[in-house]
Amino acid sequence: MTLMAGIIALALVGVALVLVSLVVRSSMGARDKRRAEATERLRPLAMELVDPDDDQGAPAPVLAGMEAEVFGDLLVHYSRQLRGEAEDRIAAYFEAAGEVDAQRRRLTARSERARVDAAFRLGDMASAAAVPDLLRAMEDPSLDVRAAAARSLGRLRAAETVEALISAAVTERVADPVVGIALLEIGPPAVPRLITLLDDPDPHHRAAAVRLIGLLGSAAAEADELPALLPALLRDMSADVRAAAADALGRLGASAGRDALIQLLHDRVAFVRAAAARALGQIGGQTVTEALLEVARADEFDPAADAAQALARIDPALVLTAAEAPDAGPHLREAADRLEL
Amino acid sequence: MSTDPAAAVPVIVAADDDQDILRLIAFRLERSGYRVVIAHDGEEALNAVREHVPALAVLDVRMPKMDGYEVTRAIRADEATRDIPVILLTARVQDADVQRGFEAGADDYVRKPFSPQELRSRVQAILGRR
């Protein structure tokens, strides 16, 4: 009797759960449908706001509730893809609607999720008014909030925050790639600050600055001083700096560093030699093949493997021939096998 | 001789897999006096170019099925479409993208994020030269 009652109770609970799940799913489906309809309805208004027919443009619509959310989402999406006057109009809308202030307040919320969300959202509202708050958010105890703030400062192309961004990377409060992307968004104004840091007495700062210059790639290549400065860093006391400088020269394709990189293939530290080999593979040139061949044949595992791959990139025919020799070693043969795949 | 006013309106094929941006590009170009045929991926874009033989094509570089470079090369390889000017929408500050675009046969490029006014100016500059 008791067993039967238990079975019936469990069955009832199961049926109730299924019903609740159906109701929730149906309600979510209806909400999604309403949002999709609102998106279609509001898209022409959003397009008119970001790209009006005349200088004055149409007045911004006054919206509330879900419609305001949907309209905001459309503008945020446009803000990621557009610049110039369109971005200014998006910023003006969010400022006038009180959205920028609301998100600035959320940056101090107790909930970490809310702070991350606000830091991220402010970057897409295109309003420079958020820059001081985002700079403060770079000191947040949460790594995710700091990363979102750094990303948003880049999105806002806040050149005045370059030093704070670099400092966050150097002190490892924000990951290098996040800062690198932010600096890439800011573009050329970031480069002079990075160049100043190349002389920093702290090798961690020098290495971080060099890595960021490498990440900036073509934007950094516009700085005339770099071809002269980076090869000098290949002789730095710190192995991290030497390796980072080799990587940066490779990414920049700076042929001015070719001779110094060939010398670096004899560095006392294996990961520096490997970085030099990779960089020479990116820079290329027939003058480097002999030196790479020697490393590929005789060095330790990582430098030899990277040298063989670099050589395959520069002169595939040479690798195929060299791999036939009795003293070729495993790395040249591996590179040749890959070429034949 | 055709008297259909629609026949005198230059046609532009615009392709981007981002629906919102595609509609914004069409919105801007239609208000500038062009008829716009939209495509959501590279294959659709190439079919639209072959079908409509437009005055110009605006192609995003990164699209499903065929990217903007492949579509440009296919346009250049076809006798019927080889003279159609192509503007590529390229990612941010990737100089390599720009270089690849010119190698594929593009006439001009606009970097994303872009200004709708700038896009219109580039379109008008190219069509004005013809």
Side-chain angles (χ1 to χ4, degrees), chain A residues 39-40 43-44 47-48 50-53 74 77-86 89 155 157 184-185 218 222, chain B residues 16 18-21 23-25 27-29 31 92-96 110-118 120 122:
Chain A
T39 302
E40 285 309 307
R43 185 183 277 116
M47 292 194 296
E48 185 62 41
V50 298
D51 188 18
D53 217 5
L74 277 166
H77 188 68
Y78 284 137
S79 126
R80 291 178 194 151
Q81 302 277 354
L82 302 176
R83 63 180 176 82
E85 288 175 19
R89 290 193 190 96
R155 284 277 308 119
R157 291 189 288 282
L184 197 61
E185 298 254 22
S218 57
E222 286 163 20
Chain B
D16 197 317
D18 183 325
Q19 175 79 340
D20 289 328
I21 292 301
R23 304 245 314 242
L24 183 69
I25 291 170
F27 176 75
R28 156 51 64 194
L29 295 176
R31 284 200 316 194
R92 307 186 181 210
V93 283
Q94 297 291 329
D95 285 342
V110 172
R111 288 183 201 270
K112 280 184 175 179
F114 67 100
S115 142
Q117 288 84 357
E118 182 192 355
R120 181 187 57 180
R122 299 288 178 90

Side-chain angles (χ1 to χ4, degrees), chain A residues 14-340:
Chain A
V15 168
L17 282 174
V18 168
L19 284 174
V20 167
S21 149
L22 284 173
V23 168
V24 168
R25 198 175 290 178
S26 152
S27 144
M28 282 170 66
R31 189 171 185 277
D32 287 349
K33 192 174 168 214
R34 282 200 305 278
R35 279 189 76 90
E37 286 167 357
T39 302
E40 285 309 307
R41 196 169 58 252
L42 294 170
R43 185 183 277 116
L45 290 177
M47 292 194 296
E48 185 62 41
L49 187 138
V50 298
D51 188 18
D53 217 5
D54 55 45
D55 286 344
Q56 287 189 325
V62 179
L63 302 166
M66 187 193 67
E67 288 204 322
E69 268 177 44
V70 167
F71 194 70
D73 286 347
L74 277 166
L75 293 185
V76 157
H77 188 68
Y78 284 137
S79 126
R80 291 178 194 151
Q81 302 277 354
L82 302 176
R83 63 180 176 82
E85 288 175 19
E87 234 182 344
D88 296 341
R89 290 193 190 96
I90 290 169
Y93 168 80
F94 281 123
E95 285 168 6
E99 275 293 307
V100 173
D101 286 341
Q103 298 299 336
R104 287 164 70 186
R105 283 193 296 276
R106 284 182 79 212
L107 278 178
T108 58
R110 190 168 294 177
S111 150
E112 181 191 21
R113 188 67 252 158
R115 300 200 305 280
V116 171
D117 187 53
F120 200 85
R121 186 93 172 168
L122 281 167
D124 293 330
M125 289 185 170
S127 169
V131 169
D133 304 84
L134 288 168
L135 262 177
R136 275 193 292 278
M138 295 273 290
E139 306 300 325
D140 195 283
S142 157
L143 175 64
D144 290 343
V145 175
R146 297 196 299 271
R151 172 258 178 203
S152 287
L153 288 170
R155 284 277 308 119
L156 295 173
R157 291 189 288 282
E160 68 274 30
T161 67
V162 164
E163 285 184 50
L165 286 166
I166 294 168
S167 164
V170 166
T171 54
E172 297 180 357
R173 282 177 294 124
V174 179
D176 271 1
V178 176
V179 171
I181 290 168
L183 294 177
L184 197 61
E185 298 254 22
I186 293 170
V191 177
R193 291 301 313 149
L194 288 170
I195 289 176
T196 309
L197 274 175
L198 296 180
D199 286 331
D200 196 281
D202 184 334
H204 295 105
H205 289 206
R206 294 199 300 279
V210 176
R211 275 196 296 275
L212 289 168
I213 284 173
L215 284 171
L216 275 177
S218 57
E222 286 163 20
D224 296 338
E225 306 98 301
L226 285 176
L229 287 172
L230 288 177
L233 289 162
L234 297 177
R235 295 188 298 275
D236 196 281
M237 296 275 288
S238 154
D240 279 340
V241 175
R242 296 198 298 279
D247 283 337
L249 281 164
R251 276 184 60 84
L252 296 173
S255 56
R258 193 180 281 126
D259 291 344
L261 283 167
I262 291 174
Q263 294 298 314
L264 206 65
L265 288 173
H266 302 287
D267 195 279
R268 65 180 181 279
V269 180
F271 72 80
V272 177
R273 298 197 297 278
R278 289 193 302 273
L280 286 169
Q282 287 168 297
I283 294 170
Q286 288 303 315
T287 57
V288 306
T289 54
E290 195 56 40
L292 283 172
L293 197 55
E294 188 189 325
V295 175
R297 276 191 189 123
D299 207 330
E300 291 173 38
F301 192 95
D302 286 338
D306 284 333
Q309 293 306 324
L311 205 51
R313 192 170 169 170
I314 299 168
D315 193 343
L318 178 63
V319 169
L320 291 172
T321 310
E324 299 293 328
D327 64 342
H331 302 293
L332 277 170
R333 292 196 185 108
E334 167 80 13
D337 287 347
R338 285 197 194 185
L339 283 171
E340 283 172 344

Side-chain angles (χ1 to χ4, degrees), chain B:
Chain B
M1 200 172 110
S2 170
T3 54
D4 179 5
V9 175
V11 175
I12 293 176
V13 167
D16 197 317
D17 59 334
D18 183 325
Q19 175 79 340
D20 289 328
I21 292 301
L22 181 60
R23 304 245 314 242
L24 183 69
I25 291 170
F27 176 75
R28 156 51 64 194
L29 295 176
E30 279 168 359
R31 284 200 316 194
S32 301
Y34 305 104
R35 186 161 76 81
V36 180
V37 176
I38 60 173
H40 303 89
D41 60 52
E43 235 171 60
E44 258 186 46
L46 187 56
N47 289 337
V49 166
R50 285 174 174 158
E51 183 183 342
H52 297 275
V53 192
L56 181 140
V58 178
L59 309 172
D60 187 32
V61 161
R62 298 185 201 287
M63 289 188 290
K65 297 186 183 173
M66 287 175 84
D67 65 29
Y69 308 121
E70 291 172 302
V71 178
T72 306
R73 278 193 288 272
I75 289 172
R76 292 287 170 261
D78 186 335
E79 188 74 31
T81 59
R82 69 188 329 155
D83 293 328
I84 294 170
V86 172
I87 295 179
L88 287 178
L89 297 173
T90 71
R92 307 186 181 210
V93 283
Q94 297 291 329
D95 285 342
D97 281 356
V98 174
Q99 185 60 33
R100 275 186 75 190
F102 283 126
E103 282 167 8
D107 294 80
D108 204 350
Y109 65 93
V110 172
R111 288 183 201 270
K112 280 184 175 179
F114 67 100
S115 142
Q117 288 84 357
E118 182 192 355
L119 176 63
R120 181 187 57 180
S121 303
R122 299 288 178 90
V123 167
Q124 286 175 337
I126 287 185
L127 293 183
R129 285 204 295 263
R130 299 195 155 232

